[in-house]
Amino acid sequence: MTENNPAPSSLSPPLIEALVSFHKTVPAINKTANAQYGKFADLETVLSTVTPHLIKNGLVISQAFEPSEGLEPILVTRLLHVSGAELVSRLPMIIGKGRNPLHDFGGSCTYSRRYALLALLGLTADMDMDGDFADEKPAAKPQPKKAPAVPEVSDEDQPLSEDER
């Protein structure tokens, strides 16, 4: 039984049961990779975390590309169950137009695969900071300047109290 466009009520019971069991056992996905904005969970970490728990529950993920009418391919992510049931996601890829087309394609593949996988499994690994706002740094709280004591002036004649200094 295959669900290519499944409505919630048409999913096979074995697939639903396997997903429930998977969610009961899958651990948190750690942020182990570094980026300019901080730590995040890369594709390797996501896959190495979820794959053993998928397999224990008779599930496996398959990700491949199919051509589209436009220039960008479509990423097809399949969650397959040993019963033959599957849940399918098709994600049109967005590929930047930078200086190196292969680099842009590779980056799009990695991001798209990670996002599609997490979405299909109903998981989150971290807050996505990949958008334009990633370059915005949170405003630092202004720290009050500490005025040093004025040398050769008695404590009672200082312009600021000891607590203010």
Side-chain angles (χ1 to χ4, degrees), residues 21-105:
S21 293
F22 166 77
H23 276 271
K24 287 179 180 179
T25 63
V26 69
I29 300 170
N30 295 320
K31 300 175 188 179
T32 58
N34 292 310
Q36 65 185 10
Y37 55 83
K39 290 196 167 280
F40 72 103
D42 61 3
L43 179 61
E44 179 183 359
T45 301
V46 172
L47 285 171
S48 66
T49 301
V50 302
T51 299
H53 298 276
L54 289 168
I55 292 169
K56 284 179 189 174
N57 290 287
L59 297 164
V60 68
I61 288 287
S62 169
Q63 291 183 305
F65 305 101
E66 65 182 33
S68 69
E69 292 180 21
L71 296 176
E72 276 79 16
I74 295 175
L75 173 64
V76 180
T77 303
R78 287 184 163 80
L79 176 63
L80 305 162
H81 186 254
V82 293
S83 68
E86 68 179 2
L87 185 58
V88 179
S89 166
R90 285 182 167 73
L91 178 66
M93 293 180 52
I94 299 169
I95 302 172
K97 306 293 184 221
R99 292 187 284 207
N100 184 332
L102 291 176
H103 183 265
D104 293 337
F105 179 76

